[in-house]
Amino acid sequence: VSPDGALRVITSTDGRTWDSAALLTSPNSDLRDAKITVTPGGQLMLTGAEALHDKLRHTHQSLAWFSPDGRVWSDRHKIGDPNFWLWRVTWHGDRAYGVGYGCGQEKSVRLYSSPDGKTFDTVVERLFDVGYPNETSIVFVDEDAYCLLRRDGQPGTGLLGVARPPYREWSWKDLKVKIGGPHMIRLPDGRFVAAVRLYDNPVRTSLCWLDPQAGKLTEFLKLPSGGDTSYAGLVWHDGLLWVSYYASHEGKTSIYLAKVRIAPRSPAK
């Protein structure tokens, strides 16, 4: 949490040696929590949020940039509403979806949708508003949407939401565990894997199975992590789950990349 945070894009051909491709900065704000997705047109879309130095009108604004190659980026586009942190963007078909959480007095989350990643409209103004909901991850299965949601107030446990088009009505299940920095992915065999910060001793970043029917998280792999740690990125690539995350268990906070081999799904008994 520095006053002059920047977003750096790094690139690699093998996952081991990384080079800087671009650096995005702001003269009047702290840029935070970069995430990259690919648009239907094949462009890279980089999203983040700025914490403004001048907080007279508002404190936070979500932003997006676009690039054909990861090195040359467009001017920034303001997305979502001021003081609603649009945490992550997920493309489904030709539309982008994302959930923004209130950064000021408003302690609720808001569902947005966009046809181009630049102009976002509100789909649900108050998607959830109990227990300070905030960070999210959305996965689409056919037309069903699944939303993994972090809460920091009481009762402070994570939630799983499910909705059908047009995604205005959601049902929620309490996962009964406190989570941070949630992200999830659906494997080719249909299973859901979530990467979360777990708070029971010791604090760690772990991979968990998510059972959407039962609304249950089951930890299966603790990543080398500890202290200040979280915010994983997940990609299924060449039969492996690639996981990027940060941790401070080795003294200095660093970014790590894990390649995880997932055991085949057990045949049903």
Side-chain angles (χ1 to χ4, degrees):
V1 185
S2 67
D4 59 350
L7 307 185
R8 185 180 295 277
V9 180
I10 60 176
T11 184
S12 173
T13 58
D14 57 9
R16 293 184 177 274
T17 302
W18 293 81
D19 298 309
S20 176
L23 179 66
L24 287 79
T25 61
S26 171
N28 56 10
S29 62
D30 166 20
L31 301 180
R32 301 183 183 181
D33 292 309
K35 300 173 185 68
I36 290 179
T37 187
V38 182
T39 71
Q43 281 197 316
L44 295 175
M45 178 182 181
L46 170 64
T47 57
E50 62 174 350
L52 293 157
H53 298 160
D54 181 358
K55 298 176 173 54
L56 185 61
R57 289 186 296 176
H58 55 272
T59 60
H60 294 80
Q61 175 64 56
S62 299
L63 304 169
W65 299 260
F66 296 85
S67 172
D69 58 5
R71 298 184 181 277
V72 178
W73 291 87
S74 70
D75 292 336
R76 64 192 213 163
H77 299 266
K78 295 181 179 180
I79 58 175
D81 297 306
N83 282 351
F84 269 83
W85 196 317
L86 213 165
W87 183 250
R88 187 186 304 276
V89 170
T90 301
W91 287 90
H92 176 55
D94 59 357
R95 295 196 68 86
Y97 292 86
V99 176
Y101 72 87
C103 299
Q105 296 298 316
E106 180 63 47
K107 302 299 183 185
S108 66
V109 286
R110 183 172 293 178
L111 178 63
Y112 295 96
S113 177
S114 170
D116 57 8
K118 300 173 184 177
T119 302
F120 281 78
D121 298 316
T122 299
V123 179
V124 183
E125 186 170 358
R126 298 184 73 85
L127 183 65
F128 199 89
D129 59 5
V130 177
Y132 185 28
N134 46 85
E135 301 160 359
T136 53
S137 179
I138 296 177
V139 166
F140 289 90
V141 179
D142 297 325
E143 293 303 312
D144 292 340
Y146 295 84
C147 179
L148 183 59
L149 172 64
R150 170 182 177 175
R151 286 191 296 177
D152 284 342
Q154 293 298 325
T157 50
L159 296 169
L160 179 68
V162 184
R164 296 276 298 165
Y167 311 117
R168 299 185 186 279
E169 301 292 333
W170 289 74
S171 60
W172 297 92
K173 294 179 180 178
D174 192 334
L175 299 174
K176 306 295 185 183
V177 61
K178 182 178 175 62
I179 61 172
H183 193 20
M184 65 177 175
I185 192 172
R186 187 170 182 251
L187 301 181
D189 64 13
R191 290 178 292 176
F192 286 74
V193 173
V196 295
R197 179 198 292 134
L198 295 174
Y199 292 85
D200 55 321
N201 195 30
V203 174
R204 62 204 181 276
T205 293
S206 285
L207 297 180
C208 303
W209 296 118
L210 173 63
D211 183 336
Q213 279 69 46
K216 183 179 180 182
L217 275 177
T218 303
E219 183 182 14
F220 71 88
L221 180 63
K222 173 189 177 296
L223 296 171
S225 58
D228 188 5
T229 178
S230 193
Y231 299 153
L234 298 171
V235 174
W236 183 260
H237 179 63
D238 287 344
L240 297 174
L241 181 63
W242 291 42
V243 188
S244 62
Y245 64 102
Y246 82 89
S248 55
H249 61 294
E250 294 184 309
K252 180 182 180 180
T253 303
S254 301
I255 301 170
Y256 297 86
L257 174 68
K259 299 179 183 179
V260 181
R261 189 175 302 280
I262 303 291
R265 189 170 195 163
S266 300
K269 295 183 179 179

